[in-house]
Amino acid sequence: MKTALTIAGSDSSGGAGIQADIKTMMANGVYAMSAITALTAQNTTGVAAIQNATAEFLGQELDSVFNDIFPDAIKIGMVSESDLIQVIAGKLRRYKAKNIVVDPVMVATSGARLISEAAVDVLKNELFPLADLLTPNIPETEVLTGMQITTAEAMIEAARQVSEKYHCAVLCKGGHQLNDANDLLYVNGAYRWFEGKRINNPNTHGTGCTLSSAIASNLAKGFSMEESVNRAKDYISGALAAMLDLGKGSGPMDHGFAIKNNFTEEA
Ligand SMILES: Nc1ncnc2c1ncn2[C@@H]1O[C@H](COP(=O)(O)OP(=O)(O)OP(=O)(O)O)[C@@H](O)[C@H]1O
Ligand SMILES: Cc1ncc(CO)c(N)n1
């Protein structure tokens, strides 16, 4: 069985972060492992509190994973502080990690800020150069480029700039901002649109986490970057189309929509 590791924050409500990543990896057929960067007290309406791991403990989590079950792919999500980012970058280099997908998580769907101002520069300088793929949404792409992105052409130009600067593929997500479910992949000097059908579902808590984990799972299984994105788009569309409706705010998706058998039957 192929293996994947998520390095991210815990979401107590189970729809985003580590919990979304593990559900997604399992649903995509890979063995999921985790190194938790922070605990969040969070639900569909917002983030009440954040408790970061210490850099030392995060380093121990990563050593424990890499020294035992080597991950075929890695997804990195919420990392709030500079020292935590530095530990991750050091371990990824030391263990020669491969298939690294970085979701530059900055703000939750509910609006809460998930990274300190200072850590954004460390993320750019230390982690982005190690990534195979970055998956920013439009506001994050604006922060990364200093551009204002209001057209598809601007999205292409911004993705090109980020890709050339950090020597990696970039998936700029249009979701709930510019052109609905259409995402732009810039890879090896060329771009390609992935046109998703917009699903009229207000419950989008954890979509970014889910997409990046699905891509990492597909890279772990040996698919190319383009095919990995293609399959991940199909997975997230299915999870949104299942129309799960939980919680008082923007709720989670049904990560298990494709797994229906006698173990999931209700009485
Ligand atoms: N209503 C929708 N219908 C279909 N696809 C969607 C919809 N909303 C988002 N997506 C897709 O979900 C994926 C995640 O994109 P999104 O822009 O929501 O990420 P994000 O802003 O990083 O998420 P998060 O809020 O969890 O940080 C993208 O592939 C996007 O196109
Ligand atoms: C822990 C965590 N990571 C990422 C996000 C982004 O959606 C979130 N809301 N919570």
Side-chain angles (χ1 to χ4, degrees):
M1 194 173 195
K2 299 299 184 192
T3 61
L5 167 66
T6 165
I7 306 173
S10 162
D11 167 12
S12 49
S13 66
I18 288 281
Q19 288 80 358
D21 299 338
I22 291 178
K23 293 173 193 182
T24 298
M25 289 169 179
M26 183 175 172
N28 283 272
V30 301
Y31 179 79
M33 300 176 283
S34 61
I36 301 184
T37 58
L39 305 175
T40 73
Q42 178 176 182
N43 63 23
T44 62
T45 67
V47 178
I50 297 177
Q51 178 74 60
N52 283 310
T54 62
E56 188 191 7
F57 183 76
L58 178 59
Q60 288 171 328
E61 290 185 271
L62 292 167
D63 286 335
S64 297
V65 172
F66 279 106
N67 286 323
D68 190 23
I69 305 177
F70 196 88
D72 293 305
I74 298 173
K75 170 256 159 86
I76 302 169
M78 171 188 173
V79 197
S80 300
E81 297 297 341
S82 307
D83 59 341
L84 299 175
I85 297 168
Q86 264 147 357
V87 165
I88 295 168
K91 299 291 182 194
L92 295 180
R93 279 194 293 263
R94 173 170 161 203
Y95 291 108
K96 299 187 170 48
K98 55 191 165 65
N99 292 324
I100 299 169
V101 178
V102 178
D103 184 17
V105 173
M106 294 182 188
V107 178
T109 311
S110 54
R113 199 180 166 95
L114 297 175
I115 187 167
S116 71
E117 207 68 70
V120 176
D121 275 340
V122 184
L123 195 66
K124 291 199 277 192
N125 296 334
E126 297 281 325
L127 218 46
F128 285 10
L130 301 173
D132 293 283
L133 175 69
L134 303 177
T135 63
N137 59 20
I138 287 181
E140 288 155 357
T141 311
E142 289 180 330
V143 170
L144 297 177
T145 57
M147 285 174 66
Q148 230 201 329
I149 304 172
T150 52
T151 62
E153 289 68 39
M155 224 167 136
I156 297 169
E157 173 57 19
R160 184 188 68 76
Q161 284 184 18
V162 178
S163 175
E164 285 181 0
K165 183 157 188 195
Y166 300 105
H167 306 285
C168 62
V170 177
L171 184 70
C172 183
K173 299 171 290 190
H176 55 110
Q177 192 110 13
L178 185 61
N179 46 13
D180 294 335
N182 296 347
D183 305 338
L184 178 85
L185 178 68
Y186 200 98
V187 57
N188 296 328
Y191 69 86
R192 173 177 162 189
W193 285 102
F194 287 84
E195 297 185 359
K197 190 170 147 308
R198 184 172 198 287
I199 294 148
N200 196 10
N201 184 347
N203 296 310
T204 57
H205 181 82
T207 44
C209 307
T210 299
L211 183 76
S212 55
S213 291
I215 297 171
S217 302
N218 289 315
L219 291 172
K221 291 185 286 183
F223 291 108
S224 69
M225 186 61 77
E226 293 200 22
E227 187 53 22
S228 293
V229 173
N230 204 19
R231 286 174 169 256
K233 288 288 286 177
D234 284 349
Y235 173 71
I236 199 158
S237 299
L240 281 166
M243 297 305 272
L244 183 64
D245 189 14
L246 295 174
K248 300 189 176 87
S250 178
M253 291 167 290
D254 183 357
H255 290 96
F257 75 96
I259 312 171
K260 298 286 173 217
N261 55 34
N262 55 338
F263 293 110
T264 60
E265 253 173 42
E266 289 186 18

